[in-house]
Amino acid sequence: QVQLVESGGGLVQAGGSLRLSCAASGFTFGSYAMGWFRQAPGKEREFVAGIRWGAGSTYYAEFVKGRFTISRDNAKNTMFLLMNSLKPEDTAVYYCARSGGGTYYDSRAYSYWGQGIQVTVSS
């Protein structure tokens, strides 16, 4: 069955960096677009970044452009999110997801989700 497992979260000071990983199994990873979303307490889940299948065109939410980089290693069935210049407002649970087709920034386009991982940025 499809499994997505996030790792790499934690507590970091403002201005610091973290790299999230999403290990995928149960499907042909390189054939699917993937994405990262996040959800802060009391807020709706929001799109962070997306990457297409294969070589992977990338897409970013405006609030992370220039700070976050999404990438994938299809040989290792893993997706990454490198987060630099972190801000307290980046604090959230981060989710990786597999696209089922559709608009990349719409959570309804994603069929499978990881369990989420906490990222906390202190000021």
Side-chain angles (χ1 to χ4, degrees):
Q1 69 278 22
V2 173
Q3 285 193 319
L4 301 170
V5 180
E6 301 95 340
S7 62
L11 173 65
V12 64
Q13 288 188 332
S17 299
L18 282 175
R19 189 178 80 155
L20 303 183
S21 298
C22 173
S25 61
F27 64 101
T28 305
F29 179 72
S31 296
Y32 289 87
M34 300 288 294
W36 288 99
F37 287 75
R38 70 186 188 185
Q39 187 167 18
K43 295 187 177 182
E44 293 187 353
R45 190 171 298 188
E46 62 182 358
F47 170 77
V48 174
I51 186 166
R52 293 191 67 183
W53 62 275
S57 298
T58 57
Y59 310 92
Y60 296 94
E62 283 296 325
F63 54 78
V64 302
K65 279 185 178 178
R67 300 190 298 126
F68 291 10
T69 303
I70 188 172
S71 62
R72 65 191 299 163
D73 184 338
N74 290 335
K76 295 183 177 179
N77 293 346
T78 305
M79 177 177 66
F80 304 97
L81 184 68
L82 176 61
M83 305 184 293
N84 294 324
S85 302
L86 282 161
K87 306 174 181 179
E89 51 264 44
D90 293 318
T91 295
V93 176
Y94 283 71
Y95 298 88
C96 71
R98 191 194 89 172
S99 176
T103 306
Y104 63 87
Y105 54 80
D106 188 341
S107 63
R108 294 171 295 181
Y110 292 80
S111 306
Y112 293 91
W113 295 80
Q115 80 286 356
I117 193 161
Q118 179 69 46
V119 170
T120 303
V121 185
S122 63
S123 57

